[in-house]
């Protein structure tokens, strides 16, 4: 009976310690994310051109998300075309690609001013989700967010993966 009484005392204390450990891990993860966002903000404030900006953002995004393909697209003054700076497998394209806006998920993201998450490409969807690159298989997962200044979407940022269900 003494042993049973001891276990009855230890059980609730153990539960509190485990709960505290889980909460600590959750807070630590949130803190790490905020620190990363802060670091990115500080670095971006010192950049003076889109190429440097792209390199830094791509590096940071790839450090926390699967980024088999990554792009930043900026709407051109004509309002009908977008210039994409992009990387494939961490290799940054030397020149941006300009494409007309189409009906894909990146254009939808900009038009609706809402993030887009696709975790499984439909088999019939053969469109390029980012500027075309010959000889590579299409992405299977996509995460995109509009770049908004004031109330106007001026571009889109997207990371994409070769595997299904890469993003939450």
């Amino acid at each position: 009976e003494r042993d049973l009484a001891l276990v009855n005392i230890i059980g609730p204390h153990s539960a509190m310690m485990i709960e505290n450990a889980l909460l600590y891990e959750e807070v630590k993860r949130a803190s790490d994310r905020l620190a990363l966002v802060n670091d990115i903000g500080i670095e971006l404030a010192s950049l003076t051109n889109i190429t440097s900006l792209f390199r830094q953002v791509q590096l940071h995004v790839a450090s926390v998300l699967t980024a088999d393909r990554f792009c930043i697209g900026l709407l051109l003054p004509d309002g009908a075309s977008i210039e994409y700076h992009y990387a494939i497998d961490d290799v940054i394209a030397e020149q941006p690609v300009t494409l007309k806006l189409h009906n894909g998920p990146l254009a939808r993201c900009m038009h609706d001013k809402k993030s887009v998450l696709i975790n499984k490409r439909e088999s019939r969807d053969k469109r390029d989700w980012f500027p075309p690159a010959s000889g590579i298989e299409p992405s299977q997962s996509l995460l995109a967010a509009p770049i908004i200044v004031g109330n106007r979407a001026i571009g889109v940022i997207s990371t994409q993966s070769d595997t299904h269900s890469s993003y939450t």
Side-chain angles (χ1 to χ4, degrees):
E1 285 199 21
R2 273 190 9 212
D3 290 344
L4 184 58
L6 182 61
V7 168
N8 283 332
I9 292 170
I10 292 172
H13 289 289
S14 297
M16 284 190 301
M17 290 186 333
I18 291 170
E19 183 178 14
N20 285 340
L22 292 172
L23 289 172
Y24 172 77
E25 285 300 317
E26 185 178 319
V27 168
K28 185 173 180 336
R29 277 192 303 274
S31 176
D32 289 347
R33 282 189 222 116
L34 288 174
L36 178 62
V37 169
N38 186 51
D39 289 346
I40 291 170
I42 290 168
E43 286 181 22
L44 295 183
S46 67
L47 299 176
T48 58
N49 64 57
I50 187 67
T51 303
S52 299
L53 173 94
F54 179 81
R55 284 188 179 118
Q56 288 301 316
V57 173
Q58 190 271 338
L59 178 70
H60 285 295
V61 169
S63 75
V64 294
L65 292 171
T66 302
D68 299 322
R69 294 166 187 80
F70 177 78
C71 69
I72 294 177
L74 297 175
L75 194 62
L76 294 177
D78 68 7
S81 302
I82 191 161
E83 180 180 84
Y84 289 98
H85 294 262
Y86 66 98
I88 300 171
D89 295 326
D90 293 329
V91 176
I92 297 173
E94 291 182 21
Q95 295 294 319
V97 172
T98 300
L99 298 173
K100 294 286 184 192
L101 282 173
H102 54 78
N103 197 21
L106 300 183
R108 189 176 76 233
C109 173
M110 282 182 50
H111 179 267
D112 296 346
K113 298 181 192 169
K114 293 182 180 176
S115 297
V116 173
L117 169 64
I118 300 173
N119 261 325
K120 186 173 182 186
R121 179 190 288 262
E122 295 179 24
S123 59
R124 68 179 189 273
D125 184 358
K126 302 297 183 197
R127 296 173 298 174
D128 289 312
W129 286 349
F130 77 106
S134 61
I136 62 171
E137 291 295 317
S139 301
Q140 298 301 310
S141 299
L142 173 140
L143 186 61
I147 300 171
I148 299 174
V149 174
N151 194 27
R152 188 172 156 247
I154 64 160
V156 62
I157 184 170
S158 176
T159 186
Q160 298 155 37
S161 172
D162 292 334
T163 60
H164 295 289
S165 303
S166 290
Y167 310 112
T168 58

